[in-house]
Every structure is written in C-alpha cells, then in structure tokens.
Amino acid sequence: MLPEDHAARGPVLRVAETILERAGYRRIETPVFEHTELFARGVGASTDIVQKEMYTFDDGGGRSLTLRPEGTASICRAYVDHGMHKLPQPVKVWYHGPFFRYERAQAGRYRQFWQIGAEAIGSDAPALDAEVIVLLASILDELEVGGLRLRIGSLGSPETRAAYREELQGHLRRHEGQLSDDVRARIDLNPLRAFDSDHPGTREVMATAPLLLDRLSAEDAEHFAEVRALLDAVELPYEVDPTLVRGLDYYARTVFEFTSDALGAQSGVGGGGRYDGLIAQLGGQETPACGWAAGVERMLLAAGDRPAAAPIVDLYLAVDGGEAARLRAFRIGAEARRAGLAAQVELAGRSLKGQLKQASRLSARYVAIVDDTGQVRLKDMDAAEQLEISDVDVVAQVLRGRGLS
Ligand code: ATP
Ligand code: MG
C-alpha cells in the first residue's frame, strides 16, 4: 500500500470509527494468526475459506497456524478466553486490519485485503441485527459508495436448517444430471451453496427448489419480521432474497449482504449475519451474536476516486549556505514541529533554486531561507512578502501567520 493509497484509505477508516464508536462499539484487535483449529471449527469445514483459501503453516513447534481469513472466529475466541460474558451484554466491538485468503487475485479480490468489521455479542434481539445492518449502511452511505443494494434473508435455526437441508438434498439428487460437477460433489457437504452457482443447468434446478424462508419456524419468522420492521422504521431499502447464502457455515437466522453495481464480478461490498451457535461451538456458553465485515478495497473501488487532500506544509526550511546554515535550518525545523507546525527540511542537497521549486511543489505556505549571514529570509508565499528575521523569531512568526498563536 503506497502513500497515496493510504491517503485514500484514511477517510474510510475514520468514517467507520466515527459511526461505530458513536453507537458504542469499541475497537478490538486480535492476532493476525491463530491456531488453524479455530478457523476450521469457527468458519466451518465445508466452506470455501477452510477448504481452499487458508494460508496455513507449521510454526516449527508442531503447531498448525493460519493467517486469519476473517475476523469473527477470533473475536468469539477472545470473548470466551477473556470471560466477556461477565460484562454488560451485548458486548459491541469493531475492528479493521489485514486478512488473508488464497484466492485468484483480480480487481477487487486480493490475497491480502483490508476488512472493517463490527460484532455485537450477547443478545438475540432483532434490534441487534437491524442495528448492525443500519451501521454498515450509514458507513457506505457516508462514503458515497455507488449502486448499493442490500439483500437480506433468514436461515432459521439449526434444526429448521437441518430439516430443510435434507429436503433440498432430495431435490438436488432428483435432478443430479443437470447440476454442475462442483455442486453435485457438494450435495452432501453444502447443498445450500447450489443457490450461488451461475451454471445454467444448476440455475434451472434451483428455480424450482424449495426455499428455506418458507420453512422457518414461527419464532424465526417472527424474528425476521421484526428485523424487517426495524429497517422499515429507518427507511432503509432492502430486498428479501430467499436464496441468499453467506459463505460461512456459522450463520443462523438473519443474513445480509451489500453489493454494488459499480463493481464488476466481485460485487460484494460487505455482509454478515447472526451467528448464535458459534460461541458455544468454540467452547463458550450459548451466546447469540450478530455482525458483519466489509472490504475496504471494494468500498474504495465502488466509491470512485475522491481526490485526497494534499498534506499541508506550513514551513519549508531551505539552506543557502554552508554547514552552519544547514545546522540552523535543521534546528529551526525541529523547533517548528515541536510547536505543532508541519515543517520540512531540505534533505537532498538541492540548489537554492531547486529548493524553492520543491517548496512550491509542496505548496509550502512559508519558506525560510537560512544563509551564512546569521539571519533568515522568511517568505510568506501567499502574500508574496519577505521578512528578514533572526532564527528564534521564525517559529513565532509562522505560528502568527497561520493564526495559531
Ligand atoms: P466474495 O463473494 O467476493 O468471495 P465473501 O463472501 O468471501 O466475498 P466475506 O467473507 O463475507 O466475503 O467478507 C466480507 C467482505 O470482505 C466482502 O464483502 C468483500 O468486500 C471483502 N472481501 C472478501 N474477500 C476478499 C478478497 N479476497 N479481496 C478483497 N476483499 C475481499
Ligand atoms: Mg470469498
């Protein structure tokens, strides 16, 4: 990530921080690698992530470690390890950082990418689902991410899902001949993923497949209806998509995804859902929870280029003399920065002309030319004025000129 990329990314992280912290989410940071077992159990053995996208290595001490492919499993581990169930619930946290997946790299899909995520752990209230969705919507809205669509669905409870799974497997087996090879190979392991396929034969089969949404228990259907009512209450548009299947195994009840038409094939900007079973699966108590993750690179792609503000330079220290002048310029530069000014010192041994050119490239507001006379020529570049002053007065003069004193 080059400096100009960082300049574009900064505002994204700041917007997320402002919106999430305002809603009471606090930043959490988990390690960049964890025991492989955590992801195998937490993300799910049948997922693409665990099956083919993890960077797994032996640490030399006989432990299998994996570069984190996602954030939720680690946060649940932290919740269990640090007894966070004793805190007032729900525990609301957010994070951002690098994640790693072994994928075919292309526009919007990288092997190391940056995610922002939020998790709210310890409540099964539909308001939790709606809150996290609304917060991600606000972030994307604030960033002016274009062509956004929100799709939501419900996967019901593990029991409903298990019964539905069998029903769907029956349907797939009845039409096995029409399915793509990989969908057929995964009828047992992950039949729900068949909804994601763009293989024509598979799509035809899926058009007549039974839908999980039609099989929800009364309680789960009620939960889903409440989530929708809350989204309606804040006038957040969404589409109910009965075929929405998130790529992670641990979801139950609400799932959602934001996509952007401004992106090509990798249209997913961010998504998530409820994962009520995960914490118990990782050794904690039964704890309902909900969250999402969003890709920073995709948010930036979908938001289009927004020119980043050039860094401000209050003072540029140019040297027009020998060793003594260089020392003085260096000292004034350090003093200026201590006083809170953005100050840069000539470091490349340029001629005076070259230094003035560099100062103008940086749009420096003031240029101080330190020469062998023992005085400083301070140029106010806006007013095109020049003062002859002594070293000790330079900082005070620039502070005054910048309205900082
Ligand atoms: P996709 O369908 O594109 O593979 P996913 O379902 O694997 O996405 P999640 O695991 O839900 O994605 O991750 C949340 C977000 O992280 C995605 O919506 C996307 O913005 C981003 N993301 C996921 N994988 C990558 C990647 N390899 N490179 C860049 N961003 C990614
Ligand atoms: Mg993926």
Side-chain angles (χ1 to χ4, degrees), residues 89-169:
Q89 306 292 301
V91 171
K92 298 190 288 187
V93 294
W94 76 284
Y95 60 88
H96 69 80
F99 291 83
F100 307 85
R101 293 183 194 177
Y102 183 64
E103 306 208 64
R104 207 158 57 81
Q106 52 202 289
R109 188 178 295 289
Y110 314 98
R111 293 185 183 149
Q112 173 171 345
F113 55 99
W114 212 270
Q115 274 187 346
I116 299 175
E119 316 284 0
I121 306 174
S123 163
D124 62 6
L128 203 72
D129 312 50
E131 175 170 286
V132 297
I133 294 172
V134 168
L135 289 170
L136 179 51
S138 308
I139 292 169
L140 298 173
D141 186 48
E142 183 74 28
L143 293 170
E144 294 171 33
V145 172
L148 267 188
R149 275 178 38 174
L150 166 61
R151 291 177 301 140
I152 64 172
S154 176
L155 302 178
S157 65
E159 299 75 43
T160 321
R161 210 167 147 190
Y164 168 74
R165 226 175 106 105
E166 273 180 33
E167 188 185 352
L168 180 63
Q169 280 166 336

Side-chain angles (χ1 to χ4, degrees), residues 48-49 53 101 103 109 193 298:
D48 278 354
I49 292 181
E53 294 176 358
R101 293 183 194 177
E103 306 208 64
R109 188 178 295 289
R193 281 310 287 264
R298 290 198 200 163

Side-chain angles (χ1 to χ4, degrees), residues 96-279:
H96 69 80
F99 291 83
F100 307 85
R101 293 183 194 177
Y102 183 64
E103 306 208 64
R104 207 158 57 81
Q106 52 202 289
R109 188 178 295 289
Y110 314 98
R111 293 185 183 149
Q112 173 171 345
F113 55 99
W114 212 270
Q115 274 187 346
I116 299 175
E119 316 284 0
I121 306 174
S123 163
D124 62 6
L128 203 72
D129 312 50
E131 175 170 286
V132 297
I133 294 172
V134 168
L135 289 170
L136 179 51
S138 308
I139 292 169
L140 298 173
D141 186 48
E142 183 74 28
L143 293 170
E144 294 171 33
V145 172
L148 267 188
R149 275 178 38 174
L150 166 61
R151 291 177 301 140
I152 64 172
S154 176
L155 302 178
S157 65
E159 299 75 43
T160 321
R161 210 167 147 190
Y164 168 74
R165 226 175 106 105
E166 273 180 33
E167 188 185 352
L168 180 63
Q169 280 166 336
H171 177 79
L172 291 172
R173 286 209 187 89
R174 277 194 297 282
H175 301 277
E176 228 177 303
Q178 282 169 266
L179 302 175
S180 71
D181 291 345
D182 62 316
V183 168
R184 195 180 318 117
R186 291 210 281 180
I187 292 181
D188 287 324
L189 203 55
N190 197 349
L192 279 162
R193 281 310 287 264
F195 284 111
D196 282 350
S197 172
D198 41 23
H199 174 262
T202 307
R203 289 183 76 101
E204 221 169 279
V205 175
M206 297 322 284
T208 58
L211 296 174
L212 179 49
L213 266 186
D214 299 329
R215 302 287 183 272
L216 296 186
S217 70
E219 218 182 321
D220 291 339
E222 167 81 358
H223 192 275
F224 189 46
E226 276 184 49
V227 173
R228 293 193 322 262
L230 290 161
L231 298 180
D232 293 338
V234 296
E235 291 170 32
L236 181 65
Y238 59 84
E239 297 153 44
V240 173
D241 182 350
T243 69
L244 180 62
V245 182
R246 302 284 317 148
L248 312 180
D249 267 1
Y250 49 59
Y251 289 113
R253 290 188 161 173
T254 313
V255 285
F256 59 93
E257 182 163 51
F258 285 89
T259 54
S260 165
D261 299 336
L263 298 171
Q266 331 310 324
S267 64
V269 178
R274 186 166 267 291
Y275 49 93
D276 291 349
L278 181 58
I279 289 183

